[in-house]
Amino acid sequence: FAFAAGLGINSFLATTVVGTLSWPEAMGLVVINGAIIVLLAVTGLRRLVFDAVPMQLKLAITAGIGLFILFIGLVDAGFISSTGLPSPPVGLGTGGNGSITTIPTLVFVGTLLLTGVLVVRRVRGGILLGLLAGTVVAVAVAAIWHLGAEVDHPGGWSLSVPTLSGSPFALPDLALVGDVSFTSFGRIGVLAATMLVFTLVFANFFDAMGTFTGLSRQAGIADPQGTFPRLRTALIVEGAGAVVGGSTSASSNTVFIESGAGIEEGARTGLANLVTGGLFLAAMFVAPLAEIVPTEVAAAALVIVGAMMFSQLRHVDISEFSVALPVVLTVASMPFSYSIANGIGVGFVTWVVVRSAAGKGREIS
């Protein structure tokens, strides 16, 4: 399991916390959140919650995360966009206008199909080869048509233009490391600060639980109950990641779903992610080179990995409606609400209510 800053928590910090609090104060809350997560893991309470989730919901969480990844890829590529209308809320192409004929989106489609063929043919490193091939095509296209960024040129690249201007090397800016403050409780009040910490803990707790569940199933290391070797250690380290992330002023670090790309290529031990971590350290100095890969090309890998994870749903027997409803709602809520934690919450509540009504109350933990 590879770690990076959790994007869901990043979004919450950026849209809700920062503004009410300064960045150092927000990072102080992240550190407190991580300490609570570690305490829950050390005492065994976090493992208790993990084990209490029924297997059907664990599989639904895996499939939901897969569909979430796939949906993120389609949105990032401009293949699906918001229409800004009540109905339909989304549609094909930029602005949901029904057209996917912009050149960047066509590059995404080509990269997706090529990567899919390589994976189907079981070519070693198929996802990476697809990314490299798509990036080469994108660089050539950018040099010929000069599309620019979509914000300035409709039909252009969404986030990063695949061109290199200047040196491929740059020194990282580490000015924010250690910029942490715990003064928020005095400035906005104990209750308000506590509620922000609770929200961080909830999101961190259940996002990580869902991701661990999905990735361990994908790796084939989960037992029939959905747990995996050294789970308690993994939960402690994941909480420590939040402490380290906050203390370095880099948001909350957590296990991230893109680890599925490495798992699909054969990663089964921590050695794979020691390499991942080493490459991330090196990438700090070659950020201009890494930025050449456009979002449309990277999105193809997300769609491939998402489809792989979604296939775990085949292990769930949904012939019984009291199982089908919470499973389907769990899977659907994650991409539609853009949140793993929301999907888990919807699934938990629905499971308890519907299974109780079906006379299965004694089976509920």
Side-chain angles (χ1 to χ4, degrees), residues 103-104 107 135-148 157 160-164 292 294:
I103 292 175
V107 170
T135 301
V136 170
V137 171
V139 169
V141 165
I144 295 170
W145 278 287
H146 306 289
L147 300 174
W157 306 95
S160 55
V161 179
T163 56
L164 180 64
I292 290 179

Side-chain angles (χ1 to χ4, degrees), residues 6 31 84 104 134 137 186 218 241-242 246 286 294 326 347:
V31 172
V137 171
Q218 185 186 358
V286 291

Side-chain angles (χ1 to χ4, degrees), residues 283-361:
M284 294 201 315
F285 300 93
V286 291
L289 186 62
E291 289 172 353
I292 290 179
V293 181
T295 306
E296 288 81 359
V297 170
L302 294 183
V303 173
I304 294 291
V305 173
M308 292 170 176
M309 295 184 68
F310 186 77
S311 66
Q312 290 292 332
L313 201 59
R314 70 187 187 276
H315 298 297
V316 182
D317 181 4
I318 56 174
S319 59
E320 187 177 351
F321 191 71
S322 65
V323 172
L325 183 61
V327 164
V328 170
L329 288 176
T330 299
V331 172
S333 296
M334 288 187 189
F336 294 156
S337 69
Y338 242 62
S339 168
I340 294 173
N342 285 350
I344 293 174
V346 169
F348 282 4
V349 172
T350 310
W351 180 272
V352 171
V353 173
V354 177
R355 293 292 284 176
S356 297
K360 307 285 186 179

Side-chain angles (χ1 to χ4, degrees), residues 58-84:
K58 285 181 178 176
L59 291 168
I61 290 168
T62 304
I65 291 173
L67 193 59
F68 184 23
I69 296 175
L70 188 149
F71 189 61
I72 290 172
L74 294 177
V75 171
D76 285 353
F79 192 85
I80 288 178
S81 299
S82 170
T83 62

